Amino acid sequence: MNNKAKNNTEEPSAAPVYQNQVRLIGFLGKDPVQHENRTVLSLATKTSWKAQDSDEWQSHTEWHRVIVWDKLAEGVRSLAKGEHVLVEGELRSISYHKQITVGADTVITVPMTSWEVRARAIRKLVRKQKPAQKPAKALKAAA
């Protein structure tokens, strides 16, 4: 009997029915904001593309509100604006009503929804510096 067939009798497990998993790599837009048991990070991610009808690059920066809780919140206090980080967590929506003044005496209530990432893990990334280019050696002409 073939060993591979004998040892591989388990059926592959199916994918989970539900999954809410976010993984972002970007740069902090400002220093972390500390609260009682949580820290709020502002993370920028960027997408760049070149349009087919143009030679110019275009880009879009997306800003993410990242909430870090409890002990992990204590651990990210040393992070600072501009640092490169990896954030893993889940996406959460928050619905609320906001009162807006229109005109001199009219107040309307508008339903609002905001999105945030609840972080489970954060890793500071170190970007490798590009090595300085060596000056090109002058070629000697054959005599």
Side-chain angles (χ1 to χ4, degrees):
M1 179 179 235
N2 187 344
N3 260 352
K4 287 185 180 182
K6 186 169 88 174
N7 292 335
N8 193 11
T9 58
E10 293 182 27
E11 291 292 319
S13 60
V17 177
Y18 299 104
Q19 186 173 26
N20 182 350
Q21 185 173 332
V22 175
R23 185 174 190 186
L24 300 169
I25 297 175
F27 293 90
L28 296 180
K30 59 184 178 181
D31 289 341
V33 177
Q34 307 294 321
H35 295 282
E36 276 186 42
N37 62 344
R38 70 189 187 281
T39 300
V40 179
L41 305 176
S42 179
L43 182 72
T45 57
K46 184 176 178 180
T47 304
S48 299
W49 66 93
K50 192 184 235 185
Q52 289 181 352
D53 59 347
S54 172
D55 286 339
E56 292 186 31
W57 283 92
Q58 298 178 6
S59 66
H60 171 75
T61 300
E62 191 71 43
W63 289 94
H64 309 275
R65 177 180 165 92
V66 179
I67 309 297
V68 188
W69 294 92
D70 301 324
K71 291 188 181 197
L72 186 56
E74 294 173 21
V76 299
R77 288 183 179 171
S78 63
L79 294 175
K81 176 181 177 178
E83 292 198 282
H84 196 212
V85 296
L86 163 75
V87 174
E88 292 178 317
E90 65 182 36
L91 192 59
R92 290 277 183 103
S93 65
I94 295 120
S95 298
Y96 59 96
H97 290 85
K98 183 175 183 177
Q99 292 188 337
I100 300 174
T101 304
V102 180
D105 56 353
T106 305
V107 176
I108 60 172
T109 302
V110 178
M112 304 288 287
T113 301
S114 66
W115 293 89
E116 65 188 25
V117 175
R118 299 267 178 116
R120 282 191 216 114
I122 296 180
R123 181 179 303 151
K124 181 178 174 182
L125 302 175
V126 178
R127 297 182 75 192
K128 292 182 180 179
Q129 297 293 329
K130 292 183 180 178
Q133 290 187 345
K134 296 177 184 176
K137 293 182 180 180
L139 296 175
K140 292 183 180 180

